[in-house]
Amino acid sequence: MIQRLLITGAAGRLGTLLREGLKPYAKSIRLSDIDALTEPARDGEEFLRCDLADHEAVSHMVEGVSTIVHMGGAAYEQYFEPILRGNLIGIYNLYDAALAHGVKRIVLASSNHVTGFYGTDEVVSTDMAARPDSLYAASKSFAEMVSSFYFHRHGIETVCVRIGTCISRPKSQRCLATWLSHADFVELIRCALQADNVGHLVVYGVSNNPRKWWRDEAAERLGYHPKDSAADYADQIAPLSQNDAHNLWQGGQVLGRDYRCGGKVPQDWKPDK
Ligand code: NAI
C-alpha cells in the first residue's frame, strides 16, 4: 500500500480516471493540476493547485510523497510555449523535487507519438530509436531521457508509459491498432506502481488489439495482461479513406495543423480540452 500518492494532471481526462482507479492502492492521494478539479477532493484526497513550470510550487507539491503518477502537462500538439512550460521545464522541476524529497518511483505519461513517424506497416519496439511526430512528442521523448538520467544517476525508478489512444471505445481505423481501454489503462498504471525492481522502463500502453503496431514485452514484465480488444468494435468503425497521407504514419494526424507562430502565441488561443 502506498502511503501518499501524488497524481499530477488530476483535473484531466486520465487523471480523473486514476483518482477512482488507484484509490484502493494508496492510503491517501494528493491531486494536483494547474486547473481546478472537475469534482472537489473527497475523503482520503487533498488538492494542491500547481503550475509545473513553477519550481518552488512543484517542490511543495512533491514534499511528503513517496510515489508519483505524472499525467500533467501539455497533452497534444500545440504552440511551443505551453509544451515548454508544462513538459520541458515541468519535467525537470518534477525530477529535481523528487530527488530533493526522496521519491522512490514515478510512473510517467509518455505517448505513442514518440514513435509516430514510423510507418503503419512497421512493428515498433521500445528499443528502437524515437521518431517523434510533433514538438509535443519530442517533449515526451525528452521526459523519457530525463527519467533515464535520474534513474542511472540517482536511483529514482520510472516506468514511462507510451499511452496509445485512451478513450472509452475505439472510434477510427487508427484506434484498431492504438486503443487502450480505460480499464486496461488503470490496470497498467497499477502494475507500473506495484511491480518490483522496474529500474527505468519504457512500455507501450495498449489493449489486446490484434492490429497493434507495438511489441509490448516490457509491459508484460510488469504483469500487465490487457483484457479489452479494439477488434470487438471493428464493425462499427468507418473504413479508411484511400489516398489519405495520415494513414501512412503511426501518429495519424501528424501532418495536421502547423503551430509555428514566430515565438508569439496568439492572445485569443486556448488549448482544446
Ligand atoms: P488532459 O489534457 O485531459 O490532462 C492533462 C492535465 O495537465 C490537464 O488537466 C491540464 O490542466 C494539466 N496541465 C497542463 N499544463 C500544466 C502545467 N503547466 N502545470 C500543471 N498542470 C498542467 O490530458 P489526458 O488525456 O488526461 O492525458 C494525460 C497524460 O497522458 C498527458 O501527459 C498526455 O500527454 C498523455 N497521453 C494521453 C493520451 C490519451 O489518449 N488521453 C495518449 C498519449 C499520451
Side-chain angles (χ1 to χ4, degrees):
M1 179 71 91
I2 298 166
Q3 281 298 321
R4 189 184 280 148
L5 172 70
L6 167 64
I7 302 177
T8 70
R13 285 164 290 221
L14 302 190
T16 301
L17 278 177
L18 291 174
R19 262 180 91 174
E20 272 315 301
L22 297 179
K23 220 176 181 171
Y25 310 107
K27 281 202 172 141
S28 71
I29 301 189
R30 179 174 293 168
L31 305 164
S32 183
D33 203 288
I34 197 169
D35 277 350
L37 295 175
T38 43
E39 288 204 18
R42 297 177 289 248
D43 269 3
E45 293 179 337
E46 60 175 323
F47 177 58
L48 278 185
R49 206 159 176 160
C50 170
D51 180 352
L52 289 161
D54 179 337
H55 189 272
E56 204 179 317
V58 172
S59 177
H60 180 54
M61 170 183 82
V62 169
E63 191 171 6
V65 307
S66 58
T67 313
I68 302 174
V69 175
H70 183 51
M71 294 287 132
Y76 35 76
E77 183 68 334
Q78 50 194 277
Y79 291 107
F80 185 61
E81 191 178 321
I83 296 174
L84 170 69
R85 292 178 62 78
N87 299 11
L88 301 182
I89 299 172
I91 204 73
Y92 163 71
N93 285 343
L94 188 85
Y95 275 86
D96 195 45
L99 181 60
H101 295 297
V103 171
K104 302 280 181 257
R105 184 173 300 184
I106 300 180
V107 178
L108 187 69
S110 182
S111 170
N112 69 87
H113 289 281
V114 164
T115 48
F117 264 134
Y118 281 93
T120 50
D121 56 350
E122 292 176 271
V123 177
V124 178
S125 58
T126 53
D127 54 4
M128 289 163 72
R131 270 192 211 167
D133 61 29
S134 50
L135 289 173
Y136 155 71
S139 77
K140 293 293 186 181
S141 198
F142 177 72
E144 291 184 2
M145 293 298 108
V146 169
S147 60
S148 170
F149 166 67
Y150 273 84
F151 172 65
H152 291 101
R153 176 71 180 82
H154 299 292
I156 300 175
E157 292 194 310
T158 296
V159 180
C160 303
V161 183
R162 290 182 179 169
I163 301 168
T165 308
C166 189
I167 51 180
S168 54
R169 56 193 211 73
K171 292 184 180 147
S172 67
Q173 288 287 328
R174 179 172 183 267
C175 286
L176 292 178
T178 63
W179 186 53
L180 173 62
S181 73
H182 285 169
D184 284 341
F185 168 69
V186 172
E187 171 61 6
L188 175 54
I189 302 299
R190 181 197 69 74
C191 291
L193 286 169
Q194 293 188 333
D196 290 331
N197 301 322
V198 294
H200 181 262
L201 193 64
V202 180
V203 305
Y204 281 98
V206 64
S207 281
N208 188 24
N209 312 327
R211 284 205 212 164
K212 67 187 165 210
W213 295 314
W214 312 311
R215 280 203 207 98
D216 44 7
E217 291 95 348
E220 277 176 36
R221 266 181 52 203
L222 295 175
Y224 170 65
H225 301 291
K227 302 247 179 328
D228 295 313
S229 168
D232 295 342
Y233 300 85
D235 58 355
Q236 300 165 31
I237 293 173
L240 271 186
S241 55
Q242 297 299 319
N243 306 323
D244 185 345
H246 296 147
N247 300 331
L248 295 175
W249 310 107
Q250 293 193 3
Q253 303 283 327
V254 292
L255 309 175
R257 180 169 171 187
D258 187 341
Y259 282 97
R260 277 175 301 177
C261 61
K264 285 205 173 66
V265 178
Q267 278 187 347
D268 58 352
W269 178 76
K270 289 213 170 33
D272 326 318
K273 265 280 197 178

